[in-house]
Amino acid sequence: MRQLTNSFNLLSKICLVFIGLIFTLQNASAQKQMEDLDRGVLAVRTSDSEVLISWRILSDEFERVSYNVYRGKTLLNKKPITGASNFVDQTEKNKTYSVTAVINGKEQKPSKPIEVWSNNYKRIPITPPKGGTSPDGREHAYRANDASVGDLDGDGQYELVLKWEPTNSHDNAHRGYTGNTFLQGLELDGTILWTIDLGKNIRSGAHYTQFMVYDIDGDGKAEMACKTADGTIDGVGTILGDANADYRNSTGYIIEGPEYLSLFSGETGAFIDTVDYIPARGKVSDWGDHYGNRVDRFLACVAYLDGKQPSLVFSRGYYTRTVLAAYDYRNGKLTNRWVFDSDEKGNEAYAGQGNHNIAVGDLDGDGKDEIQFGSCAIDDGGTGLYSTGFGHGDAAHLGDFDPIREGLEYFMCHEVANGTTIPAIDFRDPKNGEVIWRVEGKGDVGRGVTADIDPNHLGAESWASNGSGIHNTNGKVISTTYPTIGRRGSSYNMFAWWDGDLLREIVDKTRIAKWNAEFEKTDILLEAYNHDGMNLRSNNGTKSNPCLIADILGDWREEIIWRNEENTELVIFSTPYPTEERIFTLMHDPLYRVSIAWQNVAYNQPAHTGFYLGAGMKKPKIPYIYIAKK
């Protein structure tokens, strides 16, 4: 009997080991590809006598690596730095700085020496494309618009992809001709890598051109993907399709002619591959109107649908019929992974549920990404995950906003028609659509945000233009006074991690502000509008967003890029504040990284993290990723 018991125990242990191995292998299959970034050292002069040096902590260094900081060849710190990845150098001289990692007491190769910024901003010269005249005789010029980042040339540093929009760009609801849209690859010193002209058969406006910048195939260099048409010219001068085709009608809409999805080299801007856009427009009225508004409502994102390598997802429609198509780029070819169509049997509940934006994350905890598509979500395999039936909205936020709950949360605003039971705002569990709390209301609630701005309440705060106040993660109103920047009223647009604490700062137009919870007021940290005479501007009308907010350089805080009014400069602002918080680069957090990819889509929304980053946070877990080596 004892022998049988021992044999059974041995068998049980073997089974447990086998189950553990399977679990390990399953988790390993969900290890997500990330960029091979350099140290990202940044030195910013913050006063006549101080320079703030900061650098990236790469995710695999988070638990085990310390750092040394050098001014020239002079070591500045007495012992290796184990805390936050920044250092204040007391000096009046501007010299080069470098940082070395120290692993198990052994100093590694130093980073490339970098020059000191004389202020906490860097000016990047840009040159607008030449303007033109539309068929209706109206002239147009060009404005710098949304931007994205990627390591275009494989050097471990981020480059920019900037969208240039004509001054006669239009919302889909408005008739009229537009000029061409241009996409341009730029080094951070303003060097132009390439320029892509999307041509006359791609109408210009916030809802038409969604461009994804990401290393899709894992070769260490980012690609760029967007919708194209006959007459698109790539970065080396190759013309797609019929160069003379002009499908614009007399109202300026484009409701006929072939449509494509093209993938371009991030290094040269050259075409890599082009496929037909899915879905084809078909009959225009099938999308909700007859004149070309709803048929051309496009969104796009990058998602780790297999839990390992990124895929592209491009969509069409969200007011009525909704179609999403996923693509893989492997071995030099774009291939369709799946198509989700609300017109297919069983998908009817997903029609009309989309937003003017999109989000991506592992909603159900299986290691693979889902598409959070407004009031519904699409599972990683291209089937419906859930639909609330709450319909269309303008603003939404996906992230880990409540550290007490497991998983992610999603906050969304809605357009509420008379006689419906749709909430004005809701805060939900995105793995199944279960509403955690909601507020009723009427009308179009066009703005809403979520971020941790108040240290007195654990988790993020949420507020919207419905007027119900600032809510905590349980929906309780903690203030009826809203953050207000300047004379424009309440602020609901963008955020940045900017100063030294864990709270998020409010970004609206060209201002950065901090919520003062004690006095329920907003304190301005930076007014960039005419900072040092630069005449800076925000983008996209009342959306009032910068070109980009992302963790581009230095430690985990975010940089903000605005354009000047003359469209001759981009200006990158970095924080002048030291921090005591040690956090790995946000660009190695998968949810945050794909959020930067979709930030430029339609109505720009701020990126959030897949772990709770705010007051009262626990030490974040190392993200389960692997680095794509060149």
Side-chain angles (χ1 to χ4, degrees):
M1 187 69 170
R2 182 179 297 173
Q3 186 176 2
L4 287 173
T5 301
N6 290 339
S7 298
F8 178 79
N9 288 339
L10 178 61
L11 181 61
S12 297
K13 289 179 180 178
I14 292 171
C15 288
L16 287 172
V17 170
F18 183 70
I19 291 169
L21 179 61
I22 292 174
F23 181 77
T24 300
L25 290 172
Q26 285 176 335
N27 274 345
S29 70
Q31 199 174 18
K32 294 175 179 176
Q33 169 199 307
M34 285 288 144
E35 294 153 305
D36 187 11
L37 299 173
D38 69 5
R39 186 61 58 204
V41 180
L42 178 62
V44 170
R45 180 159 291 284
T46 57
S47 73
D48 290 342
S49 59
E50 291 187 339
V51 175
L52 174 65
I53 305 102
S54 65
W55 59 93
R56 292 187 183 110
I57 298 177
L58 305 176
S59 60
D60 62 348
E61 301 173 340
F62 187 50
E63 298 282 3
R64 62 190 181 94
V65 178
S66 55
Y67 306 91
N68 286 331
V69 181
Y70 288 85
R71 184 202 314 127
K73 294 183 179 181
T74 302
L75 177 64
L76 298 179
N77 47 294
K78 294 180 180 179
K79 58 182 180 179
I81 296 168
T82 58
S85 56
N86 62 182
F87 182 89
V88 177
D89 184 18
Q90 305 288 338
T91 180
E92 296 178 358
K93 297 179 180 179
N94 286 342
K95 292 192 175 182
T96 61
Y97 289 89
S98 60
V99 174
T100 61
V102 181
I103 303 175
N104 296 325
K106 185 176 180 180
E107 195 169 43
Q108 307 298 302
K109 183 180 177 181
S111 63
K112 182 180 178 181
I114 56 97
E115 302 285 342
V116 178
W117 291 8
S118 57
N119 297 282
N120 69 313
Y121 59 81
K122 178 181 177 66
R123 301 170 80 154
I124 302 173
I126 55 175
T127 303
K130 185 179 179 180
T133 304
S134 298
D136 57 5
R138 295 184 179 182
E139 295 182 352
H140 62 268
Y142 278 89
R143 291 183 291 232
N145 191 250
D146 295 331
S148 191
V149 290
D151 184 359
L152 302 182
D153 53 14
D155 63 355
Q157 301 174 7
Y158 282 122
E159 287 79 36
L160 295 173
V161 175
L162 176 66
K163 180 169 74 168
W164 287 96
E165 275 199 348
T167 50
N168 63 348
S169 64
H170 285 299
D171 183 87
N172 298 50
H174 302 152
R175 62 191 293 163
Y177 291 98
T178 73
N180 299 1
T181 298
F182 292 85
L183 295 165
Q184 195 168 71
L186 297 167
E187 295 279 6
L188 292 188
D189 64 1
T191 301
I192 298 174
L193 300 175
W194 44 260
T195 302
I196 294 168
D197 179 356
L198 293 182
K200 64 174 70 74
N201 294 310
I202 296 290
R203 200 168 187 249
S204 289
H207 304 290
Y208 293 103
T209 293
Q210 319 304 346
F211 61 103
M212 294 292 103
V213 180
Y214 219 85
D215 181 6
I216 303 299
D217 64 349
D219 69 348
K221 298 179 182 181
E223 292 79 36
M224 193 279 290
C226 66
K227 184 173 178 286
T228 55
D230 282 355
T232 293
I233 306 173
D234 75 1
V236 297
T238 304
I239 302 175
L240 180 64
D242 182 355
N244 299 313
D246 187 347
Y247 299 111
R248 296 172 294 183
N249 63 23
S250 60
T251 62
Y253 285 97
I254 302 163
I255 55 176
E256 61 179 358
E259 302 173 286
Y260 309 108
L261 174 66
S262 292
L263 188 72
F264 300 84
S265 164
E267 194 166 21
T268 66
F271 286 116
I272 294 175
D273 197 16
T274 295
V275 295
D276 290 338
Y277 194 88
I278 300 173
R281 67 171 67 86
K283 189 178 179 182
V284 172
S285 58
D286 288 345
W287 299 90
D289 59 61
H290 68 281
Y291 65 97
N293 175 1
R294 297 183 176 189
V295 68
D296 276 359
R297 297 282 178 158
F298 301 106
L299 300 172
C301 60
V302 172
Y304 293 86
L305 299 175
D306 65 359
K308 295 179 290 187
Q309 288 186 276
S311 299
L312 296 163
V313 180
F314 280 75
S315 74
R316 179 176 226 136
Y318 42 72
Y319 286 111
T320 52
R321 182 188 178 194
T322 295
V323 181
L324 293 85
Y327 300 85
D328 294 334
Y329 171 50
R330 313 286 184 259
N331 303 314
K333 285 290 182 183
L334 277 172
T335 57
N336 179 233
R337 186 179 184 90
W338 49 252
V339 176
F340 177 88
D341 191 339
S342 65
D343 272 5
E344 290 186 3
K345 187 176 180 180
N347 292 341
E348 295 86 353
Y350 293 82
Q353 301 303 308
N355 261 27
H356 288 308
N357 46 71
I358 196 168
V360 175
D362 180 7
L363 305 184
D364 55 12
D366 64 355
K368 303 175 183 179
D369 281 345
E370 285 72 43
I371 314 303
Q372 181 61 62
F373 201 80
S375 289
C376 68
I378 311 303
D379 206 354
D380 53 81
T383 58
L385 183 66
Y386 76 85
S387 177
T388 62
F390 293 162
H392 164 70
D394 284 8
H397 301 263
L398 176 69
D400 187 355
F401 302 129
D402 185 350
I404 296 175
R405 292 187 72 257
E406 288 292 328
L408 305 176
E409 292 80 37
Y410 187 65
F411 175 70
M412 181 177 168
C413 308
H414 301 275
E415 293 187 13
V416 186
N418 290 333
T420 66
T421 57
I422 296 168
I425 55 175
D426 79 295
F427 190 81
R428 78 180 84 121
D429 185 340
K431 72 174 178 289
N432 54 21
E434 178 185 352
V435 174
I436 299 168
W437 58 266
R438 58 186 277 174
V439 175
E440 311 308 310
K442 295 180 180 179
D444 181 357
V445 182
R447 297 287 189 279
V449 288
T450 296
D452 185 23
I453 63 168
D454 189 333
N456 301 310
H457 301 270
L458 185 63
E461 288 72 47
S462 305
W463 67 98
S465 55
N466 66 320
S468 59
I470 300 176
H471 301 259
N472 66 13
T473 54
N474 296 317
K476 179 182 177 181
V477 176
I478 62 172
S479 177
T480 55
T481 301
Y482 291 99
T484 301
I485 298 181
R487 294 176 296 173
R488 63 165 291 152
S490 302
S491 177
Y492 312 97
N493 286 336
M494 300 291 284
F495 293 108
W497 282 289
W498 178 256
D499 66 7
D501 64 27
L502 295 168
L503 299 173
R504 213 152 189 202
E505 280 65 59
I506 300 157
V507 181
D508 202 352
K509 287 200 169 182
T510 53
R511 300 179 180 96
I512 305 173
K514 191 171 190 66
W515 176 245
N516 186 324
E518 181 180 0
F519 296 102
E520 293 189 295
K521 69 185 188 72
T522 314
D523 298 326
I524 303 295
L525 300 183
L526 174 69
E527 170 56 272
Y529 180 79
N530 200 25
H531 191 71
D532 286 355
M534 289 186 291
N535 208 19
L536 301 181
R537 296 293 182 270
S538 58
N539 288 330
N540 302 316
T542 59
K543 311 306 178 293
S544 302
N545 58 273
C547 300
L548 181 69
I549 302 176
D551 178 14
I552 300 170
L553 294 164
D555 60 31
W556 57 275
R557 272 86 59 81
E558 295 174 292
E559 281 66 50
I560 304 175
I561 303 177
W562 282 289
R563 63 177 175 92
N564 68 355
E565 186 175 35
E566 297 78 17
N567 296 289
T568 57
E569 287 184 334
L570 299 178
V571 183
I572 304 180
F573 280 83
S574 189
T575 181
Y577 303 100
T579 182
E580 297 180 357
E581 307 296 339
R582 180 182 172 98
I583 300 175
F584 50 80
T585 175
L586 301 188
M587 292 300 234
H588 274 178
D589 174 59
L591 189 145
Y592 180 88
R593 184 63 188 91
V594 296
S595 300
I596 296 304
W598 58 245
Q599 188 181 124
N600 63 71
V601 170
Y603 290 177
N604 306 54
Q605 303 292 295
H608 301 285
T609 53
F611 61 93
Y612 172 65
L613 203 172
M617 70 180 288
K618 295 180 180 179
K619 183 179 179 180
K621 295 179 181 179
I622 298 173
Y624 202 58
I625 64 174
Y626 71 94
I627 302 302
K629 299 296 182 180
K630 303 168 186 64

